[in-house]
Amino acid sequence: MDTLIELGRGPLFRFAVALAVLGLLRHAVLSLWGMRQVLRRAGDKRFALGPVIQRTLVHLNPVRYFTGNRGVYSILSTLFHVGLILVPILFAGHIRLWQRGLGIGWPALPMSVADALTILTVVTGVLLVVGRAWFVASREMSRPQDWLLPPLIAFEFLSGYLLAHPGSNPFDLQLVTLLHVGVGDLLLLVTPFTKIAHCAMLPFSQLVSEMAWKFVPGAGHDVVKTLGKEGQPI
Amino acid sequence: MRRLLATKALLWFIAGGALILAIVRFARGMGATTALTDLTPWGFWIGFDVMGGVALAAGGFVVAGTVYVFRLERYHAIVRPAVLTAFLGYLAVVGGLLFDLGLPWNIWHMVIYWNPHSPLFEVGWCVMLYLTVLALEFAPVLFEAARHPLLAKAYKFLKSATVPLVFLGIMLSTLHQSSLGSLNLILPHRLHPLWYTPILPIMFFVSAIGLGLMMVSCESLVSAWLYEREPELEVVQGLGKAARWVLSGYAVLRLGDIFVRGQGPAIFAGTYESWLFITEFLLSAIVPVVLLSLPAIRRSAGGLTVTALMAVTGIVMNRIDVGGLAQVGTTGTHYVPSWMEVWMSLGVVAAAALAYFFVAERFNLFHAGPVKREQFRYNLPTFDPGTLVAHPDPYTAGLGRYTLAGVFGAAVVLGLLPHSAFAGLSLKSQRVTPPGFGDRVLIDGNRTREAVLFEHKKHVEREGGEASCVRCHHLNNPAERTTGCARCHRDMYQTTSIFDHSLHAARLGTGKGCASCHVDNAALKDVAHTKACLDCHTRMLPATAAVKPRQPPRLGPAPSYVDALHGMCIQCHEERAKDPRVNKPALAQCATCHTGKVPSFDPAKPDARQTL
Amino acid sequence: MRAILTDVTKCIGCEKCVAACVTENKLPPALPARWTRDDGLSAERFTAIERKGTSNVRKQCRHCLEPACASACPVGALHKTPEGPVVYDSSKCLGCRYCMMACPFGIPRYQWGSTVPYVRKCTMCHENRVKLGRQPACTEACPTQATIFGERTELLAEAHRRLGVDPARYQPAVWGETDVGGTSVLYLSPIPLDFLGVGRVQHERALPELTVTAMEAVPPVFVGVGAVLAGVRWIIGRRMKLADGSSPHGGSHDGSHGGSGTGSRGGSKEKKP
């Protein structure tokens, strides 16, 4: 089991991080490259960056949904994301690992705050899945990854909490470590291939909706075809 | 187009990984990436990339000579691919060499600092010139479709200069193909006599012609298979016929030379070198010649492909043998290329192959014009189903797959890299950082699956501040085991007739039972601060016992017999090893004295320390 | 030409020469590394004492009269100075390590751990001492005169004098007098010193001689190949013209193929040696 843990903390972890970072980078480069190609072929070369930035920022601001018809969902989701982003990066134990591996470190969250955020993430993660199952509409449009990812993340945080508090860990320490490391690697590995990619791709999605729909080459032909007026003079 | 897609994806995968390795090679040096040593300063990169690469690219001058000197016009169809292969091959050689040279930014020094006695100087110049010649020979293909009047003029001029260029190319090739053999003439002490011969240059030249013919056949057949077009079977059969003669000549020359020099018996000596020679010789000459004599093989594209591949492998193996494998026995080294060297070399080859595809798909490389690129259905912007990431240009869909393969390659290499690639090789600049949070660390110091809360701060204070770090953290590399707790707490695993620690630990619940005896979390986990036996085993002594034993002796860590013995020798050893003027760093290493099995602590045998 | 004579029988193995070399050349500590040979020498140690039975043999660059390293170097970064030492110019080096391959004693070592690696070896203290008429640090430090510095001819005479006075004490040869064409570091030894060489000992003649023939053939081969190619092309072209003249549909393809194919190969073989 030691060997497995070392594998997960060493080679596999590096592989997972590299795949996550390079994979997201690849999405970004391809999006920009494709945009350039589309723009080159398009007749209408106007391009508004303003709305893209504006929409990205709007999407990043969850508060405006709090009072809407899905307010509870929005609040839960926001709380979920706060812990999800802060704890893995700012947890003291993780920073220590970075220091040992690469010699770089940064300020950590106080233990008590990290604990609170961890519990919050686990709870909100579970609630989000429950909500998804509860409402017919969201249940119907859910894909497998929508069901799988929140529980995996909740598990990751739960196991992390147990590792940070070995006194209250009723399970085998090695086993929990292995699972924590393994699921962490798994989440990183699937980052560029699942909706987790939105962590880096949000602005690019906005860019695409700004560009691609406007500048579809051959769109005129498609319209003619759809209308069944092929070959007719316009 | 499936096979082409798969092949290209594989090449991108390799190239992506090689890109990472290239960065590591230059950021961390050759020591971190290669398995080269002071006794084997040349390895896989020279044997395969340079010696093998130059020979593999021999097809260019062989085919150009066939068409422009011997005027066999029916081979005209393969001139362009052959010249392109040669050009890319030489580019790959130079690319590979840039990684192998210690100071690659000085590669141009050969232009200004001359040493005409050196075969390497001659090879360097010839490769430099020949690369230029090949570029000029191939440039018309690229300029053909160009509309710019200047390019059109250049096209016309180069086209008219074809014959002189081909002549110059053959002259230069003759020189450096043979000089790669001359290179080894100064190494009679390293090269095994089955390979070392004064006519090594001639041997290299003849085999390069054979390899050139076979490589062009190979390339023609494989590209036809990949692009699903009719193979130029007639042409390849002609090449095979010529190769049969050249390879037979090579075989006779090789054997004749060995027997004339009286080294015949070494072939059958049953040594490592004799087997190496037999394998190489069978692959490079005997088997291909036999296969090419069989009409059934000569008629089928598959048979020709296998034969050509075999001959190519065999002759490249010859270069690798001369460049290294045939020197292993004589110098007594154990060089095995590191996986990074091999991957890197494959990456260079992959890049060259991708460049070949790039040209084949855009220019008139083959008579039929540019081969059709893989077509993807023209669609609205495609949304990746998993990520909902849209790639707005449908043409990037192909690029999307390849870049994904490249990203995977890079990630695999990053995962496989040894720690030294990140932290460097230096042993001196290891920085040990104190824990940045709390005073307690949860550790499993002895790797016995019993984690304890380790009072880090208290240990630092007790052991004498920062100077004491090394007592536990020798190097503090990740995944390296720090000093186990038992190194200092010598009594923790001591089995006596009275007490068995591991038995107690197991009975009380691994990892959680510690506190049953080690009551004070803040105290040392030694006998002095732990419950005594009688505290639990209250009925251990019958009340009626005549002899009342005292409590177990409450002593802290005491020097053991091992320490006493070490103390007798090790002090002088360490003093001497530390003297910078004495070159005996090994003196302070354990294995210098412990020549047998190096003692290690085995938790399965708690009393191992005492028996060593 | 200056040289060093090391008398193995006089060496007590105190390693004062090693310490002096380290001080003189400001060498860093020699940490054990994957790529070092287990013979004491490394990129950080230019001389070392190897203990063979009761003999202590000091290893260092032999400063050959016809150095293989200098002959091999494509940019002439290594050269034999008129004073005797073989020295290295790091500003020319491109890091091909052919010198390390060529040296029959495996002397040049590489800074494998560095990102800007150079070849390192004993320079007989040429820059700071020998060029200025002083003796190297190692011979100066030797307390027993086991290793001494002087004119090569005088040292050879001294070596033969010692051999004559006490022949039972030594092997009957001065190492370095003639092997690999003679070296500027001479040895008198009670034991054979073949172990100082790398691989199969081939010390009868200077190694650079082995490539000379091949290298001298380069210009004639270059011109010869060109001439043969032009000739062959002209002859075949003429034959094709004649064949075209007599029979319009070229039945001569096969004939010219066989004839030219073998002819050319014979031609190139003749030119090569």
Side-chain angles (χ1 to χ4, degrees), chain C residues 176-197:
Chain C
E177 185 174 12
T178 57
D179 40 350
V180 293
T183 63
S184 288
V185 172
L186 307 163
Y187 284 95
L188 278 173
S189 167
I191 54 167
L193 293 181
D194 284 348
F195 68 88
L196 290 180

mmCIF file with all atom_site columns, all heavy atoms in Angstrom, chain C residues 176-197:
data_model
loop_
_atom_site.group_PDB
_atom_site.id
_atom_site.type_symbol
_atom_site.label_atom_id
_atom_site.label_alt_id
_atom_site.label_comp_id
_atom_site.label_asym_id
_atom_site.label_entity_id
_atom_site.label_seq_id
_atom_site.pdbx_PDB_ins_code
_atom_site.Cartn_x
_atom_site.Cartn_y
_atom_site.Cartn_z
_atom_site.occupancy
_atom_site.B_iso_or_equiv
_atom_site.pdbx_formal_charge
_atom_site.auth_seq_id
_atom_site.auth_comp_id
_atom_site.auth_asym_id
_atom_site.auth_atom_id
_atom_site.pdbx_PDB_model_num
ATOM 1   N N   . GLY C 1 176 ? 55.816 4.892  -21.098 1.00 0.00 ? 176 GLY C N   1
ATOM 2   C CA  . GLY C 1 176 ? 55.679 6.228  -21.689 1.00 0.00 ? 176 GLY C CA  1
ATOM 3   C C   . GLY C 1 176 ? 56.842 6.595  -22.580 1.00 0.00 ? 176 GLY C C   1
ATOM 4   O O   . GLY C 1 176 ? 56.816 7.623  -23.244 1.00 0.00 ? 176 GLY C O   1
ATOM 5   N N   . GLU C 1 177 ? 57.893 5.740  -22.606 1.00 0.00 ? 177 GLU C N   1
ATOM 6   C CA  . GLU C 1 177 ? 59.019 6.072  -23.473 1.00 0.00 ? 177 GLU C CA  1
ATOM 7   C C   . GLU C 1 177 ? 58.591 5.935  -24.940 1.00 0.00 ? 177 GLU C C   1
ATOM 8   O O   . GLU C 1 177 ? 58.838 6.828  -25.755 1.00 0.00 ? 177 GLU C O   1
ATOM 9   C CB  . GLU C 1 177 ? 60.195 5.136  -23.183 1.00 0.00 ? 177 GLU C CB  1
ATOM 10  C CG  . GLU C 1 177 ? 61.441 5.520  -23.971 1.00 0.00 ? 177 GLU C CG  1
ATOM 11  C CD  . GLU C 1 177 ? 62.648 4.694  -23.577 1.00 0.00 ? 177 GLU C CD  1
ATOM 12  O OE1 . GLU C 1 177 ? 62.459 3.678  -22.869 1.00 0.00 ? 177 GLU C OE1 1
ATOM 13  O OE2 . GLU C 1 177 ? 63.762 5.057  -23.965 1.00 0.00 ? 177 GLU C OE2 1
ATOM 14  N N   . THR C 1 178 ? 57.915 4.817  -25.256 1.00 0.00 ? 178 THR C N   1
ATOM 15  C CA  . THR C 1 178 ? 57.504 4.613  -26.651 1.00 0.00 ? 178 THR C CA  1
ATOM 16  C C   . THR C 1 178 ? 56.016 4.344  -26.797 1.00 0.00 ? 178 THR C C   1
ATOM 17  O O   . THR C 1 178 ? 55.474 4.520  -27.890 1.00 0.00 ? 178 THR C O   1
ATOM 18  C CB  . THR C 1 178 ? 58.244 3.424  -27.273 1.00 0.00 ? 178 THR C CB  1
ATOM 19  O OG1 . THR C 1 178 ? 57.994 2.269  -26.458 1.00 0.00 ? 178 THR C OG1 1
ATOM 20  C CG2 . THR C 1 178 ? 59.715 3.695  -27.380 1.00 0.00 ? 178 THR C CG2 1
ATOM 21  N N   . ASP C 1 179 ? 55.324 3.877  -25.754 1.00 0.00 ? 179 ASP C N   1
ATOM 22  C CA  . ASP C 1 179 ? 53.923 3.493  -25.989 1.00 0.00 ? 179 ASP C CA  1
ATOM 23  C C   . ASP C 1 179 ? 53.056 4.695  -26.337 1.00 0.00 ? 179 ASP C C   1
ATOM 24  O O   . ASP C 1 179 ? 53.290 5.808  -25.895 1.00 0.00 ? 179 ASP C O   1
ATOM 25  C CB  . ASP C 1 179 ? 53.307 2.661  -24.843 1.00 0.00 ? 179 ASP C CB  1
ATOM 26  C CG  . ASP C 1 179 ? 53.715 3.127  -23.482 1.00 0.00 ? 179 ASP C CG  1
ATOM 27  O OD1 . ASP C 1 179 ? 54.623 3.972  -23.411 1.00 0.00 ? 179 ASP C OD1 1
ATOM 28  O OD2 . ASP C 1 179 ? 53.147 2.667  -22.496 1.00 0.00 ? 179 ASP C OD2 1
ATOM 29  N N   . VAL C 1 180 ? 52.050 4.437  -27.149 1.00 0.00 ? 180 VAL C N   1
ATOM 30  C CA  . VAL C 1 180 ? 51.232 5.441  -27.845 1.00 0.00 ? 180 VAL C CA  1
ATOM 31  C C   . VAL C 1 180 ? 52.084 6.571  -28.404 1.00 0.00 ? 180 VAL C C   1
ATOM 32  O O   . VAL C 1 180 ? 51.704 7.735  -28.360 1.00 0.00 ? 180 VAL C O   1
ATOM 33  C CB  . VAL C 1 180 ? 50.076 6.008  -26.962 1.00 0.00 ? 180 VAL C CB  1
ATOM 34  C CG1 . VAL C 1 180 ? 49.060 4.949  -26.665 1.00 0.00 ? 180 VAL C CG1 1
ATOM 35  C CG2 . VAL C 1 180 ? 50.594 6.632  -25.691 1.00 0.00 ? 180 VAL C CG2 1
ATOM 36  N N   . GLY C 1 181 ? 53.252 6.207  -28.906 1.00 0.00 ? 181 GLY C N   1
ATOM 37  C CA  . GLY C 1 181 ? 54.113 7.210  -29.539 1.00 0.00 ? 181 GLY C CA  1
ATOM 38  C C   . GLY C 1 181 ? 54.902 8.042  -28.553 1.00 0.00 ? 181 GLY C C   1
ATOM 39  O O   . GLY C 1 181 ? 55.518 9.035  -28.935 1.00 0.00 ? 181 GLY C O   1
ATOM 40  N N   . GLY C 1 182 ? 54.921 7.638  -27.308 1.00 0.00 ? 182 GLY C N   1
ATOM 41  C CA  . GLY C 1 182 ? 55.659 8.371  -26.290 1.00 0.00 ? 182 GLY C CA  1
ATOM 42  C C   . GLY C 1 182 ? 54.757 9.336  -25.543 1.00 0.00 ? 182 GLY C C   1
ATOM 43  O O   . GLY C 1 182 ? 53.841 9.913  -26.114 1.00 0.00 ? 182 GLY C O   1
ATOM 44  N N   . THR C 1 183 ? 55.009 9.454  -24.218 1.00 0.00 ? 183 THR C N   1
ATOM 45  C CA  . THR C 1 183 ? 54.199 10.374 -23.421 1.00 0.00 ? 183 THR C CA  1
ATOM 46  C C   . THR C 1 183 ? 55.121 11.282 -22.618 1.00 0.00 ? 183 THR C C   1
ATOM 47  O O   . THR C 1 183 ? 56.314 10.989 -22.445 1.00 0.00 ? 183 THR C O   1
ATOM 48  C CB  . THR C 1 183 ? 53.274 9.636  -22.440 1.00 0.00 ? 183 THR C CB  1
ATOM 49  O OG1 . THR C 1 183 ? 54.083 8.910  -21.507 1.00 0.00 ? 183 THR C OG1 1
ATOM 50  C CG2 . THR C 1 183 ? 52.346 8.686  -23.165 1.00 0.00 ? 183 THR C CG2 1
ATOM 51  N N   . SER C 1 184 ? 54.568 12.358 -22.123 1.00 0.00 ? 184 SER C N   1
ATOM 52  C CA  . SER C 1 184 ? 55.354 13.282 -21.309 1.00 0.00 ? 184 SER C CA  1
ATOM 53  C C   . SER C 1 184 ? 55.247 12.970 -19.830 1.00 0.00 ? 184 SER C C   1
ATOM 54  O O   . SER C 1 184 ? 55.771 13.697 -19.008 1.00 0.00 ? 184 SER C O   1
ATOM 55  C CB  . SER C 1 184 ? 54.906 14.722 -21.561 1.00 0.00 ? 184 SER C CB  1
ATOM 56  O OG  . SER C 1 184 ? 55.326 15.134 -22.830 1.00 0.00 ? 184 SER C OG  1
ATOM 57  N N   . VAL C 1 185 ? 54.514 11.916 -19.501 1.00 0.00 ? 185 VAL C N   1
ATOM 58  C CA  . VAL C 1 185 ? 54.499 11.445 -18.119 1.00 0.00 ? 185 VAL C CA  1
ATOM 59  C C   . VAL C 1 185 ? 55.045 10.026 -18.143 1.00 0.00 ? 185 VAL C C   1
ATOM 60  O O   . VAL C 1 185 ? 54.471 9.140  -18.780 1.00 0.00 ? 185 VAL C O   1
ATOM 61  C CB  . VAL C 1 185 ? 53.084 11.488 -17.518 1.00 0.00 ? 185 VAL C CB  1
ATOM 62  C CG1 . VAL C 1 185 ? 53.065 10.805 -16.167 1.00 0.00 ? 185 VAL C CG1 1
ATOM 63  C CG2 . VAL C 1 185 ? 52.624 12.929 -17.374 1.00 0.00 ? 185 VAL C CG2 1
ATOM 64  N N   . LEU C 1 186 ? 56.188 9.853  -17.500 1.00 0.00 ? 186 LEU C N   1
ATOM 65  C CA  . LEU C 1 186 ? 56.893 8.565  -17.552 1.00 0.00 ? 186 LEU C CA  1
ATOM 66  C C   . LEU C 1 186 ? 56.734 7.850  -16.219 1.00 0.00 ? 186 LEU C C   1
ATOM 67  O O   . LEU C 1 186 ? 56.612 8.487  -15.169 1.00 0.00 ? 186 LEU C O   1
ATOM 68  C CB  . LEU C 1 186 ? 58.374 8.807  -17.842 1.00 0.00 ? 186 LEU C CB  1
ATOM 69  C CG  . LEU C 1 186 ? 58.661 9.672  -19.074 1.00 0.00 ? 186 LEU C CG  1
ATOM 70  C CD1 . LEU C 1 186 ? 60.081 10.203 -19.035 1.00 0.00 ? 186 LEU C CD1 1
ATOM 71  C CD2 . LEU C 1 186 ? 58.413 8.870  -20.339 1.00 0.00 ? 186 LEU C CD2 1
ATOM 72  N N   . TYR C 1 187 ? 56.745 6.521  -16.276 1.00 0.00 ? 187 TYR C N   1
ATOM 73  C CA  . TYR C 1 187 ? 56.601 5.738  -15.044 1.00 0.00 ? 187 TYR C CA  1
ATOM 74  C C   . TYR C 1 187 ? 57.719 4.703  -14.945 1.00 0.00 ? 187 TYR C C   1
ATOM 75  O O   . TYR C 1 187 ? 58.066 4.064  -15.949 1.00 0.00 ? 187 TYR C O   1
ATOM 76  C CB  . TYR C 1 187 ? 55.272 4.984  -15.030 1.00 0.00 ? 187 TYR C CB  1
ATOM 77  C CG  . TYR C 1 187 ? 54.055 5.820  -14.737 1.00 0.00 ? 187 TYR C CG  1
ATOM 78  C CD1 . TYR C 1 187 ? 53.296 6.328  -15.761 1.00 0.00 ? 187 TYR C CD1 1
ATOM 79  C CD2 . TYR C 1 187 ? 53.659 6.084  -13.428 1.00 0.00 ? 187 TYR C CD2 1
ATOM 80  C CE1 . TYR C 1 187 ? 52.168 7.089  -15.518 1.00 0.00 ? 187 TYR C CE1 1
ATOM 81  C CE2 . TYR C 1 187 ? 52.532 6.841  -13.170 1.00 0.00 ? 187 TYR C CE2 1
ATOM 82  C CZ  . TYR C 1 187 ? 51.787 7.340  -14.207 1.00 0.00 ? 187 TYR C CZ  1
ATOM 83  O OH  . TYR C 1 187 ? 50.667 8.085  -13.945 1.00 0.00 ? 187 TYR C OH  1
ATOM 84  N N   . LEU C 1 188 ? 58.246 4.544  -13.749 1.00 0.00 ? 188 LEU C N   1
ATOM 85  C CA  . LEU C 1 188 ? 59.059 3.368  -13.412 1.00 0.00 ? 188 LEU C CA  1
ATOM 86  C C   . LEU C 1 188 ? 58.232 2.590  -12.410 1.00 0.00 ? 188 LEU C C   1
ATOM 87  O O   . LEU C 1 188 ? 57.740 3.165  -11.431 1.00 0.00 ? 188 LEU C O   1
ATOM 88  C CB  . LEU C 1 188 ? 60.378 3.793  -12.766 1.00 0.00 ? 188 LEU C CB  1
ATOM 89  C CG  . LEU C 1 188 ? 61.496 4.214  -13.716 1.00 0.00 ? 188 LEU C CG  1
ATOM 90  C CD1 . LEU C 1 188 ? 62.655 4.760  -12.916 1.00 0.00 ? 188 LEU C CD1 1
ATOM 91  C CD2 . LEU C 1 188 ? 61.945 3.047  -14.579 1.00 0.00 ? 188 LEU C CD2 1
ATOM 92  N N   . SER C 1 189 ? 58.056 1.297  -12.659 1.00 0.00 ? 189 SER C N   1
ATOM 93  C CA  . SER C 1 189 ? 57.092 0.600  -11.802 1.00 0.00 ? 189 SER C CA  1
ATOM 94  C C   . SER C 1 189 ? 57.525 -0.831 -11.529 1.00 0.00 ? 189 SER C C   1
ATOM 95  O O   . SER C 1 189 ? 58.110 -1.496 -12.395 1.00 0.00 ? 189 SER C O   1
ATOM 96  C CB  . SER C 1 189 ? 55.719 0.597  -12.488 1.00 0.00 ? 189 SER C CB  1
ATOM 97  O OG  . SER C 1 189 ? 54.870 -0.303 -11.824 1.00 0.00 ? 189 SER C OG  1
ATOM 98  N N   . PRO C 1 190 ? 57.250 -1.323 -10.329 1.00 0.00 ? 190 PRO C N   1
ATOM 99  C CA  . PRO C 1 190 ? 57.530 -2.739 -10.039 1.00 0.00 ? 190 PRO C CA  1
ATOM 100 C C   . PRO C 1 190 ? 56.439 -3.656 -10.581 1.00 0.00 ? 190 PRO C C   1
ATOM 101 O O   . PRO C 1 190 ? 56.616 -4.866 -10.589 1.00 0.00 ? 190 PRO C O   1
ATOM 102 C CB  . PRO C 1 190 ? 57.557 -2.767 -8.516  1.00 0.00 ? 190 PRO C CB  1
ATOM 103 C CG  . PRO C 1 190 ? 56.653 -1.654 -8.110  1.00 0.00 ? 190 PRO C CG  1
ATOM 104 C CD  . PRO C 1 190 ? 56.752 -0.596 -9.165  1.00 0.00 ? 190 PRO C CD  1
ATOM 105 N N   . ILE C 1 191 ? 55.309 -3.081 -10.979 1.00 0.00 ? 191 ILE C N   1
ATOM 106 C CA  . ILE C 1 191 ? 54.200 -3.907 -11.495 1.00 0.00 ? 191 ILE C CA  1
ATOM 107 C C   . ILE C 1 191 ? 53.841 -3.407 -12.887 1.00 0.00 ? 191 ILE C C   1
ATOM 108 O O   . ILE C 1 191 ? 54.083 -2.241 -13.205 1.00 0.00 ? 191 ILE C O   1
ATOM 109 C CB  . ILE C 1 191 ? 52.958 -3.839 -10.581 1.00 0.00 ? 191 ILE C CB  1
ATOM 110 C CG1 . ILE C 1 191 ? 52.566 -2.367 -10.355 1.00 0.00 ? 191 ILE C CG1 1
ATOM 111 C CG2 . ILE C 1 191 ? 53.203 -4.539 -9.269  1.00 0.00 ? 191 ILE C CG2 1
ATOM 112 C CD1 . ILE C 1 191 ? 51.214 -2.182 -9.747  1.00 0.00 ? 191 ILE C CD1 1
ATOM 113 N N   . PRO C 1 192 ? 53.238 -4.267 -13.742 1.00 0.00 ? 192 PRO C N   1
ATOM 114 C CA  . PRO C 1 192 ? 52.811 -3.795 -15.063 1.00 0.00 ? 192 PRO C CA  1
ATOM 115 C C   . PRO C 1 192 ? 51.736 -2.727 -14.904 1.00 0.00 ? 192 PRO C C   1
ATOM 116 O O   . PRO C 1 192 ? 50.878 -2.834 -14.029 1.00 0.00 ? 192 PRO C O   1
ATOM 117 C CB  . PRO C 1 192 ? 52.234 -5.054 -15.733 1.00 0.00 ? 192 PRO C CB  1
ATOM 118 C CG  . PRO C 1 192 ? 52.712 -6.190 -14.921 1.00 0.00 ? 192 PRO C CG  1
ATOM 119 C CD  . PRO C 1 192 ? 52.945 -5.685 -13.537 1.00 0.00 ? 192 PRO C CD  1
ATOM 120 N N   . LEU C 1 193 ? 51.798 -1.708 -15.732 1.00 0.00 ? 193 LEU C N   1
ATOM 121 C CA  . LEU C 1 193 ? 50.856 -0.590 -15.598 1.00 0.00 ? 193 LEU C CA  1
ATOM 122 C C   . LEU C 1 193 ? 49.769 -0.620 -16.663 1.00 0.00 ? 193 LEU C C   1
ATOM 123 O O   . LEU C 1 193 ? 49.148 0.391  -16.946 1.00 0.00 ? 193 LEU C O   1
ATOM 124 C CB  . LEU C 1 193 ? 51.612 0.741  -15.673 1.00 0.00 ? 193 LEU C CB  1
ATOM 125 C CG  . LEU C 1 193 ? 52.547 1.024  -14.503 1.00 0.00 ? 193 LEU C CG  1
ATOM 126 C CD1 . LEU C 1 193 ? 53.215 2.375  -14.673 1.00 0.00 ? 193 LEU C CD1 1
ATOM 127 C CD2 . LEU C 1 193 ? 51.796 0.982  -13.182 1.00 0.00 ? 193 LEU C CD2 1
ATOM 128 N N   . ASP C 1 194 ? 49.559 -1.809 -17.257 1.00 0.00 ? 194 ASP C N   1
ATOM 129 C CA  . ASP C 1 194 ? 48.544 -1.886 -18.310 1.00 0.00 ? 194 ASP C CA  1
ATOM 130 C C   . ASP C 1 194 ? 47.157 -1.479 -17.800 1.00 0.00 ? 194 ASP C C   1
ATOM 131 O O   . ASP C 1 194 ? 46.314 -1.040 -18.562 1.00 0.00 ? 194 ASP C O   1
ATOM 132 C CB  . ASP C 1 194 ? 48.464 -3.310 -18.876 1.00 0.00 ? 194 ASP C CB  1
ATOM 133 C CG  . ASP C 1 194 ? 49.632 -3.578 -19.800 1.00 0.00 ? 194 ASP C CG  1
ATOM 134 O OD1 . ASP C 1 194 ? 50.330 -2.601 -20.163 1.00 0.00 ? 194 ASP C OD1 1
ATOM 135 O OD2 . ASP C 1 194 ? 49.873 -4.743 -20.143 1.00 0.00 ? 194 ASP C OD2 1
ATOM 136 N N   . PHE C 1 195 ? 46.937 -1.622 -16.499 1.00 0.00 ? 195 PHE C N   1
ATOM 137 C CA  . PHE C 1 195 ? 45.602 -1.306 -15.966 1.00 0.00 ? 195 PHE C CA  1
ATOM 138 C C   . PHE C 1 195 ? 45.275 0.180  -16.083 1.00 0.00 ? 195 PHE C C   1
ATOM 139 O O   . PHE C 1 195 ? 44.127 0.587  -15.905 1.00 0.00 ? 195 PHE C O   1
ATOM 140 C CB  . PHE C 1 195 ? 45.476 -1.768 -14.509 1.00 0.00 ? 195 PHE C CB  1
ATOM 141 C CG  . PHE C 1 195 ? 46.341 -1.004 -13.548 1.00 0.00 ? 195 PHE C CG  1
ATOM 142 C CD1 . PHE C 1 195 ? 45.886 0.156  -12.961 1.00 0.00 ? 195 PHE C CD1 1
ATOM 143 C CD2 . PHE C 1 195 ? 47.609 -1.461 -13.225 1.00 0.00 ? 195 PHE C CD2 1
ATOM 144 C CE1 . PHE C 1 195 ? 46.678 0.855  -12.078 1.00 0.00 ? 195 PHE C CE1 1
ATOM 145 C CE2 . PHE C 1 195 ? 48.401 -0.763 -12.350 1.00 0.00 ? 195 PHE C CE2 1
ATOM 146 C CZ  . PHE C 1 195 ? 47.942 0.400  -11.772 1.00 0.00 ? 195 PHE C CZ  1
ATOM 147 N N   . LEU C 1 196 ? 46.279 0.994  -16.381 1.00 0.00 ? 196 LEU C N   1
ATOM 148 C CA  . LEU C 1 196 ? 45.998 2.423  -16.548 1.00 0.00 ? 196 LEU C CA  1
ATOM 149 C C   . LEU C 1 196 ? 45.281 2.716  -17.868 1.00 0.00 ? 196 LEU C C   1
ATOM 150 O O   . LEU C 1 196 ? 44.739 3.787  -18.055 1.00 0.00 ? 196 LEU C O   1
ATOM 151 C CB  . LEU C 1 196 ? 47.296 3.230  -16.488 1.00 0.00 ? 196 LEU C CB  1
ATOM 152 C CG  . LEU C 1 196 ? 47.968 3.296  -15.118 1.00 0.00 ? 196 LEU C CG  1
ATOM 153 C CD1 . LEU C 1 196 ? 49.236 4.122  -15.202 1.00 0.00 ? 196 LEU C CD1 1
ATOM 154 C CD2 . LEU C 1 196 ? 47.035 3.883  -14.075 1.00 0.00 ? 196 LEU C CD2 1
ATOM 155 N N   . GLY C 1 197 ? 45.314 1.740  -18.795 1.00 0.00 ? 197 GLY C N   1
ATOM 156 C CA  . GLY C 1 197 ? 44.674 1.949  -20.091 1.00 0.00 ? 197 GLY C CA  1
ATOM 157 C C   . GLY C 1 197 ? 43.208 1.572  -20.053 1.00 0.00 ? 197 GLY C C   1
ATOM 158 O O   . GLY C 1 197 ? 42.754 0.857  -19.168 1.00 0.00 ? 197 GLY C O   1
#
